[in-house]
């Protein structure tokens, strides 16, 4: 036990600056949680505002669209997680099979670039290319004889627009993780499979994919903690009142209730509700990752 502690001591010392930073900017501000139990009036502060107990939580649960917002958040987040795993894995497998390494690196660089752009920039690009009037996507759709599609203004299209655009932005970065996992596969396994008569498809099916399974399982389990994070910045930039029914998520609801309507108590109650569920999901995901993927911080 003492030997293990001595080995991990430098790692714990390295965590001290991050721990101090977290205490200052994550835990000290948690005193604001009391707002969830008050009718908060800014000029009165915490101590002089009216205590209302659980009224803000009751109001939150009785909001007419709250259940729909929860559904939207979970649906969008889960679909992003699923697509964000499948697409990078497929792309990594395809790049791994490319004969020209120059071609593979060029493609990898191009698909990696959107990760560095903010949603402010990408949102403007999407609004332009998906525009009903003059957008390149709808010009192509009209050119083949179909009616233009209002991707950002129709409830049946908007969630899938969010999911696909998020995959477009992030799958290049995730591909790098899976490409790194491919380099850890023992080359002798491919040699043995080749000697046994396995073609490239059989080698991919029985060697490459099983070799990627541990990292796929790990990232899948850890992504459970993001089930309630559907992407505020992306949704906030792309949505409008016409798609609140299918695109409104917890974070955008918090913004409107807290900053637009100035209902600070209700918005804090919603945020606290989300944080508690998120804490449970994070603890569960790390527990599953430790058990099934042997993942640990140290």
């Amino acid at each position: 036990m003492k030997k293990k502690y001595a080995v991990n001591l430098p790692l714990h010392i390295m965590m001290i600056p991050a721990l101090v930073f977290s205490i200052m900017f994550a835990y000290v501000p948690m005193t604001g949680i009391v707002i969830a139990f008050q009718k908060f009036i800014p000029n009165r502060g915490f101590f002089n505002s009216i205590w209302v107990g659980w009224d803000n939580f009751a109001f939150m649960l009785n909001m007419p669209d709250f259940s729909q917002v929860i559904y939207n958040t979970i649906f969008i987040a889960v679909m992003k997680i699923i697509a964000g795993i499948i697409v990078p894995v497929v792309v990594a497998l395809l790049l791994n099979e490319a004969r020209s390494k120059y071609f593979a690196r060029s493609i990898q660089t191009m698909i990696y670039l959107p990760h560095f752009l903010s949603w402010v920039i990408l949102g403007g690009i999407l609004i332009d290319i998906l525009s009903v009037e003059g957008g390149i996507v709808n010009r192509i759709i009209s050119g083949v004889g179909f009616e233009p599609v209002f991707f950002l203004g129709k409830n049946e299209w908007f969630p899938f627009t969010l999911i696909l655009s998020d995959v477009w932005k992030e799958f290049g970065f995730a591909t790098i993780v899976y490409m790194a996992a491919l380099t850890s596969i023992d080359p002798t396994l491919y040699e043995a499979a080749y000697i046994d008569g396995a073609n490239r498809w059989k080698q991919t099916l029985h060697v490459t994919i099983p070799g990627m399974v541990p990292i796929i399982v790990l990232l899948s389990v850890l992504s459970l903690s993001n089930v309630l994070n559907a992407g505020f910045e992306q949704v906030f930039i792309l949505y409008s009142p016409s798609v609140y029914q299918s695109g409104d998520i917890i974070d955008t609801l918090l913004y409107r209730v807290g900053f637009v309507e100035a209902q600070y108590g209700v918005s804090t109650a919603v945020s606290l509700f989300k944080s508690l569920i998120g804490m449970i999901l994070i603890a569960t995901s790390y527990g599953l990752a430790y058990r099934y993927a042997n993942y640990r911080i140290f």
Side-chain angles (χ1 to χ4, degrees), residues 83-102:
I85 293 173
I86 294 176
V87 174
V89 169
V90 173
V91 173
L93 291 173
L94 292 175
L95 291 177
N96 187 57
E97 296 300 321
R99 295 180 180 275
S100 172
K101 296 300 180 183
Y102 176 79

Side-chain angles (χ1 to χ4, degrees), residues 21-35 46 268:
F21 184 88
S22 298
I23 291 173
M24 291 177 59
F25 296 100
Y27 289 94
V28 172
M30 286 177 67
T31 54
I33 288 175
V34 298
I35 298 176
F46 296 148
T268 306

Side-chain angles (χ1 to χ4, degrees), residues 29-294:
M30 286 177 67
T31 54
I33 288 175
V34 298
I35 298 176
F37 305 94
Q38 296 177 329
K39 183 178 181 181
F40 182 71
I41 302 174
N43 60 0
R44 291 187 179 182
F46 296 148
F47 301 104
N48 297 317
S49 294
I50 302 172
W51 288 87
V52 295
W54 298 97
D55 288 357
N56 289 325
F57 292 91
F59 182 86
M60 171 191 74
L61 295 174
N62 290 321
M63 294 174 69
D65 299 327
F66 187 70
S67 59
Q68 183 65 40
V69 168
I70 296 295
Y71 171 80
N72 294 342
T73 304
I74 295 176
F75 175 77
I76 294 172
V78 170
M79 292 303 293
K80 282 183 177 181
I81 291 171
I82 294 174
I85 293 173
I86 294 176
V87 174
V89 169
V90 173
V91 173
L93 291 173
L94 292 175
L95 291 177
N96 187 57
E97 296 300 321
R99 295 180 180 275
S100 172
K101 296 300 180 183
Y102 176 79
F103 173 78
R105 291 173 181 172
S106 300
I107 295 297
Q108 189 173 346
T109 301
M110 285 189 291
I111 63 177
Y112 185 49
L113 289 177
H115 172 75
F116 295 100
L117 300 178
S118 71
W119 274 113
V120 176
I121 298 173
L122 291 180
I125 295 173
L126 284 171
I127 291 172
D128 184 53
I129 66 176
L130 296 178
S131 173
V132 176
E133 299 180 358
I136 185 171
V137 174
N138 275 306
R139 289 174 64 182
I140 294 173
I141 293 174
S142 299
V144 295
F146 295 97
E147 292 292 326
V149 178
F150 197 2
F151 291 99
L152 300 178
K154 292 290 186 180
N155 283 303
E156 57 267 29
W157 288 103
F158 185 71
F160 299 100
T161 303
L162 293 175
I163 295 163
L164 292 176
S165 59
D166 182 77
V167 172
W168 168 54
K169 183 179 187 297
E170 299 296 344
F171 84 96
F173 179 79
T175 299
I176 293 178
V177 177
Y178 294 111
M179 291 290 289
L182 290 173
T183 62
S184 65
I185 300 176
D186 189 352
T188 58
L189 295 176
Y190 291 103
E191 295 174 3
Y194 178 77
I195 293 173
D196 288 339
N199 56 23
R200 295 297 297 178
W201 167 247
K202 292 292 185 180
Q203 292 177 33
T204 300
L205 190 62
H206 297 289
V207 178
T208 306
I209 294 179
M212 297 175 67
V213 166
I215 190 65
I216 294 173
V217 172
L218 174 62
L219 295 180
S220 300
V221 170
L222 293 179
S223 64
L224 290 177
S225 59
N226 292 319
V227 167
L228 293 183
N229 293 320
F232 168 75
E233 185 179 1
Q234 179 197 18
V235 178
F236 182 72
I237 289 172
L238 296 177
Y239 86 149
S240 62
S242 62
V243 291
Y244 279 176
Q245 181 181 352
S246 64
D248 199 16
I249 60 175
I250 294 176
D251 292 328
T252 53
L253 176 66
L254 280 172
Y255 172 81
R256 291 201 312 277
V257 172
F259 289 94
V260 178
E261 301 176 7
Q263 299 186 54
Y264 303 110
V266 177
S267 63
T268 306
V270 176
S271 180
L272 180 58
F273 168 79
K274 178 188 173 184
S275 298
L276 291 174
I277 300 299
M279 181 182 68
I280 295 172
L281 291 173
I282 290 173
T284 302
S285 65
Y286 275 86
L288 292 173
Y290 177 79
R291 181 171 182 178
Y292 294 107
N294 197 31

